[in-house]
Amino acid sequence: MRIGVIGAGFIGRTHLAMFSQVEQAELVGVSDALPALAEQAAQQFGLKPVFRSAEELIDSSELDAVVIGVPNAFHRPLALRALERGKHVLLEKPMAIDGSAAAEIYRAWRSTDRILMIAHQMRWEPLSQQAKSLAASGELGRVYNAKAGMMRRKSIPGWGSWFTRKSEAGGGPLIDIGVHVLDLALWLMGNPRPERVFGSTFAEFGPHKKGTGSWGTPQWDGRFDVEDLATALIKFDDGRTLSLEVSWAVNTDSDNGHYVHLMGSEGGLSLYPKRMVLTGQKFDRPFAIEVPAPEPLENPRVLLSRHFVDCILSGTQPISDPLSGLTNSMVLDAIYRSAAEGDAVTVDFSFLDSR
Ligand SMILES: NC(=O)c1ccc[n+]([C@@H]2O[C@H](COP(=O)([O-])OP(=O)(O)OC[C@H]3O[C@@H](n4cnc5c(N)ncnc54)[C@H](O)[C@@H]3O)[C@@H](O)[C@H]2O)c1
């Protein structure tokens, strides 16, 4: 499987490192809007062609698949071109900058026989996989409510860079890190269809250049026009609910890690980065079982890369498929819309069934 990587920033280099550990993958080339970065990455990973542009890479007949790891605004045009040129696509999260761009990619994908996978590597963490089997086994009963979040206290990435500009990122922590826990929660809940969303966003730190972290390169003459905290209640068409909270900067007692709490009629499951807690009631008493995270046999990102290649070779759909990416983007959109309108909004999936 001959693979090219678009974007030689943090995630592009991560993909290069991961795919170089996948036996059936052959890394062919890399491109970046900054050619010097692509050159550096190509040298580091011993790749020959450095494509002068993403378009040149996508159009190349030397490739079967492309990995798209560039700012969110460019996911749509590059994914559309790649699908049109018959390439399989591993697309970074979020699927697109907003719901309508994600829907466009989804529609384009549906008219091809190519594999399109969204890179939600948290699904490949060993504890996430254990949580998924437990939730799917029915042992928790009906999971009627869930709560997910990632509350970073002082972590605004690259202040002023594309990360904090709505035109290139689409939003702040909600679309950046919230999409990870939203994806995890929806997957663990069995992919229910969101129906109504009530959300709020705040920007209390970013506009004052406070709450910045060490991630990304700040551009102090840039701008911050996104949120730094978002909260939402999502109601599904089967009546179940999920509450979501996420921040880049906030004053609260939090360890900065993510969490997903599944509340079921027969048992509960709380998932954290390093442990899982199973809860229940027996002998008229509540109990909790601690499950520590096992050492992963392999880096979860390598497992993700291998899954992508396996799906292409076997023609099976990836577990993080285009519909899950689209659903995530539609929910994010609804949260932003609800926050702007100050009222609950409907998530409209009718266009999916009308084709
Ligand atoms: N799955 C994860 O854990 C994870 C982690 C980080 C980032 N991401 C996602 O990856 C994407 C990139 O994030 P990053 O942290 O690597 O950002 P980054 O700023 O480190 O790198 C982005 C790179 O893309 C290049 N670029 C911009 N426009 C381009 C274009 N049109 N064609 C080719 N190259 C272009 C830039 O020059 C830059 O080198 C984002 O969508 C982000 O949400 C995912």
Side-chain angles (χ1 to χ4, degrees), residues 32-300:
D32 195 283
L34 301 173
L37 270 188
E39 294 276 357
Q40 265 177 21
Q43 244 180 21
Q44 185 184 345
F45 291 93
L47 309 181
K48 262 277 161 56
V50 174
F51 295 94
R52 277 166 304 179
S53 68
E55 290 73 19
E56 190 184 279
L57 181 145
I58 289 170
D59 294 353
S60 165
S61 58
E62 291 175 47
L63 300 175
D64 304 301
V66 299
V67 180
I68 300 178
V70 297
N72 307 342
F74 308 110
H75 290 191
R76 185 192 68 90
L78 297 177
L80 290 179
R81 187 180 185 111
L83 290 169
E84 204 176 278
R85 300 290 193 274
K87 302 297 193 295
H88 302 284
V89 179
L90 176 59
L91 181 54
E92 258 310 330
K93 58 82 208 164
M95 182 169 178
I97 192 162
D98 58 28
S100 67
E104 224 181 305
I105 299 172
Y106 180 81
R107 281 199 207 93
W109 164 76
R110 277 224 306 210
S111 61
T112 73
D113 62 353
R114 302 289 89 180
I115 295 294
L116 169 61
M117 173 169 149
I118 318 300
H120 278 294
Q121 79 283 348
M122 277 166 72
R123 293 194 188 197
W124 280 270
E125 303 275 348
L127 273 184
S128 305
Q129 298 266 329
Q130 284 189 20
K132 177 65 182 169
S133 332
L134 243 161
S137 74
E139 279 201 69
L140 303 177
R142 173 174 143 87
V143 176
Y144 51 91
N145 183 42
K147 176 180 157 111
M150 195 179 313
M151 298 295 273
R152 293 188 174 164
R153 292 174 59 184
K154 192 178 176 314
S155 288
I156 292 179
W159 195 101
S161 73
W162 75 265
F163 278 107
T164 68
R165 299 197 294 251
K166 194 168 169 54
S167 55
E168 283 147 277
L174 180 61
I175 197 165
D176 180 33
I177 51 177
V179 68
H180 277 305
V181 278
L182 171 65
D183 177 75
L184 202 50
L186 293 179
W187 181 56
L188 293 175
M189 292 178 85
N191 306 311
R193 185 163 283 194
E195 194 173 72
R196 295 278 287 168
V197 169
F198 194 21
S200 291
T201 58
F202 302 87
E204 301 290 333
F205 288 77
H208 309 291
K209 296 188 176 165
K210 293 195 306 185
T212 54
S214 52
W215 190 269
T217 310
Q219 291 175 15
W220 296 114
D221 56 348
R223 71 176 188 278
F224 184 104
D225 60 0
V226 295
E227 83 284 358
D228 49 35
L229 183 146
T231 175
L233 181 66
I234 300 146
K235 190 150 187 160
F236 302 99
D237 64 359
D238 56 9
R240 300 190 290 156
T241 46
L242 164 67
S243 57
L244 180 70
E245 54 179 13
V246 55
S247 69
W248 273 340
V250 64
N251 292 321
T252 190
D253 183 22
S254 140
D255 66 359
N256 287 348
H258 64 264
Y259 44 88
V260 178
H261 301 282
L262 301 180
M263 295 162 226
S265 52
E266 304 303 318
L269 184 160
S270 294
L271 180 65
Y272 306 99
K274 297 272 177 248
R275 65 196 184 105
M276 177 166 74
V277 184
L278 305 175
T279 50
Q281 310 199 4
K282 198 91 182 160
F283 311 115
D284 202 25
R285 284 173 167 75
F287 67 84
I289 302 168
E290 283 270 345
V291 183
E295 276 305 313
L297 295 175
E298 221 168 5
N299 185 324

Side-chain angles (χ1 to χ4, degrees), residues 274-326:
K274 297 272 177 248
R275 65 196 184 105
M276 177 166 74
V277 184
L278 305 175
T279 50
Q281 310 199 4
K282 198 91 182 160
F283 311 115
D284 202 25
R285 284 173 167 75
F287 67 84
I289 302 168
E290 283 270 345
V291 183
E295 276 305 313
L297 295 175
E298 221 168 5
N299 185 324
R301 289 184 193 269
V302 175
L303 297 176
L304 174 150
S305 313
R306 185 167 293 127
H307 183 68
F308 178 60
V309 172
D310 287 348
C311 286
I312 297 172
L313 294 174
S314 62
T316 47
Q317 282 307 311
I319 63 166
S320 51
D321 65 5
L323 181 58
S324 66
L326 173 63

